[in-house]
Amino acid sequence: MQRGEEGKLMKRILFATGNEDKLKEIRMILKDTGVEVVSMREAGIHADIVEDGTTFEENAAIKAKTVMELSGEIVLSDDSGLEIDALGGAPGVHSARFMGEDTSYDIKNAAILEKLSGVPEDKRTARFVCAVVCALPDGRIFTCRRTMEGRIGYESSGENGFGYDPIFYLPEYECYSAQLSPEKKNEISHRGKALRGMRDILKEEHIL
Ligand code: IMP
């Protein structure tokens, strides 16, 4: 713990990610709680974690528990991906590794559109899923899973976002996920909702 501007003791949470965008997002969401969010690098934790779980929840828990055990701190982690119903839920937990980690998303997205050629609109349903896990040094584990529902479009469109956003169509907003502003995406995305859900759980449990 450390003292904040008004001399109050500040709680600190370690976010088990190397991704600067995710850190920025969680810092914004937890801004009003006065909690300090630090990255693994800032906390001096280096860990090569094998995410071999079969669900998003399992993978997020593996990361959070491993980093909590190494640091002795409150640790948050997330795991996310895309589930396509017509592909039996693939790429799912393998979203980052689908067709190889180094393959560009232009190629991955084109391959998915190809696999779904001939699949009618009502069978193109899909969702982004995010599981956020918090591991506490006393052994308690909290999990929050949220989704963003949509369908796979017929083309790639939009310049924002990353990964599978250009082929993920949101009927409610009549646009692709890659056409959303970053603010709108955070408001409606699986990750934004799961992080805010976790904030609410931690407040209810008087951890924040
Ligand atoms: P991770 O949770 O950072 O490991 O992300 C897993 C993978 O899921 C990413 O590399 C993307 O392929 C995909 N993914 C997760 N969230 C999104 C999103 O919001 N837009 C596009 N792709 C996503």
Side-chain angles (χ1 to χ4, degrees):
M1 286 211 221
Q2 152 184 336
R3 284 182 196 278
E5 271 170 28
E6 289 149 27
K8 269 169 70 181
L9 281 175
M10 268 174 85
K11 258 204 184 130
R12 171 170 140 136
I13 287 188
L14 213 163
F15 195 21
T17 186
N19 181 322
E20 284 298 322
D21 289 328
K22 288 186 184 177
L23 267 172
K24 249 193 246 162
E25 194 178 348
I26 188 71
R27 281 185 177 133
M28 258 170 54
I29 289 170
L30 296 182
K31 208 166 67 188
D32 67 333
T33 63
V35 157
E36 182 196 8
V37 183
V38 295
S39 66
M40 287 178 41
R41 191 173 45 80
E42 287 163 339
I45 303 283
H46 303 279
D48 228 349
I49 302 167
V50 182
E51 295 174 34
D52 55 1
T54 56
T55 63
F56 298 106
E57 286 89 336
E58 263 176 50
N59 279 337
I62 290 169
K63 277 186 270 189
K65 279 194 226 169
T66 308
V67 177
M68 184 275 290
E69 277 158 15
L70 287 170
S71 65
E73 301 207 44
I74 302 174
V75 177
L76 270 185
S77 77
D78 80 322
D79 194 50
S80 60
L82 175 66
E83 284 180 357
I84 302 173
D85 293 328
L87 301 180
V93 289
H94 305 293
S95 290
R97 287 162 279 169
F98 174 65
M99 295 177 74
E101 197 115 23
D102 296 330
T103 305
S104 78
Y105 277 92
D106 284 349
I107 293 174
K108 296 188 196 204
N109 286 336
I112 289 175
L113 293 179
E114 179 61 32
K115 276 180 196 280
L116 261 64
S117 67
V119 175
E121 197 167 306
D122 63 332
K123 297 266 180 338
R124 300 176 79 91
T125 47
R127 69 203 52 76
F128 280 118
V129 182
C130 178
V132 172
V133 168
C134 183
L136 299 177
D138 65 11
R140 279 182 293 168
I141 299 279
F142 299 106
T143 306
C144 183
R145 177 190 212 265
R146 294 286 185 274
T147 63
M148 176 164 77
E149 302 286 333
R151 59 176 187 245
I152 302 304
Y154 293 94
E155 58 183 1
S156 252
S157 199
E159 305 295 328
N160 296 338
F162 68 100
Y164 301 103
D165 281 329
I167 58 165
F168 191 78
Y169 187 75
L170 295 150
E172 213 180 311
Y173 298 91
E174 297 181 354
C175 71
Y176 284 84
S177 181
Q179 293 173 319
L180 294 171
S181 67
E183 293 75 24
K184 189 72 193 169
K185 170 125 187 253
N186 287 346
E187 185 188 318
I188 66 169
S189 80
H190 48 312
R191 191 166 10 260
K193 289 189 287 191
L195 288 170
R196 289 191 295 275
M198 179 55 74
R199 173 197 59 196
D200 296 345
I201 292 173
L202 297 180
K203 275 186 173 173
E204 263 168 43
E205 298 287 334
H206 305 291
I207 291 153
L208 293 183

